[in-house]
Amino acid sequence: EDDVYWGSYFGSAVAESVACAFAVMAASLEAEESEELSLEFLERASLDLDIFFAAHLFGELCRLELQMESRSQNATARRLLSSLWATCTWALAMVGRVVGYHRLS
């Protein structure tokens, strides 16, 4: 089965791994007893995510959603899209668990 590549760099297996890593980070940051350490880690990770990751993620989500609208998307592309959605969900959960969901708007 051919893989759909995310931004010409990564396939769906990498996107799924990133989503799982974000889920683990969200759980770990929530379990951390020191709020200060959790915030520090989140701030450092956020810089890397904002500089490189966000642009690629947004571009690929747009491309895949356009394919979905035109119904030209295959099962592999849907798998990639689902993984990228999961990555976004867990990134938001990570922030919410550290700073508190009540602070998100």
Side-chain angles (χ1 to χ4, degrees), residues 23-104:
V24 169
M25 287 173 38
S28 298
L29 289 172
E30 183 178 37
E32 174 59 52
E33 292 180 11
S34 169
E35 185 178 332
E36 185 177 314
L37 285 176
S38 291
L39 283 170
E40 182 181 335
F41 178 84
L42 185 61
E43 286 176 7
R44 288 182 183 197
S46 295
L47 289 174
D48 291 331
L49 295 175
D50 282 346
I51 292 171
F52 175 76
F53 192 69
H56 290 285
L57 183 64
F58 179 75
E60 194 60 19
L61 282 169
C62 290
R63 186 185 70 76
L64 289 167
E65 287 178 356
L66 282 174
Q67 281 184 3
M68 190 168 59
E69 288 174 6
S70 68
R71 302 191 194 282
S72 65
Q73 198 176 57
N74 61 28
T76 308
R78 286 190 298 276
R79 178 180 166 199
L80 176 58
L81 181 60
S82 178
S83 299
L84 296 178
W85 282 339
T87 299
C88 293
T89 301
W90 281 112
L92 185 59
M94 196 178 350
V95 173
R97 289 178 179 191
V98 172
V99 301
Y101 289 105
H102 64 282
R103 292 187 178 153
L104 298 178

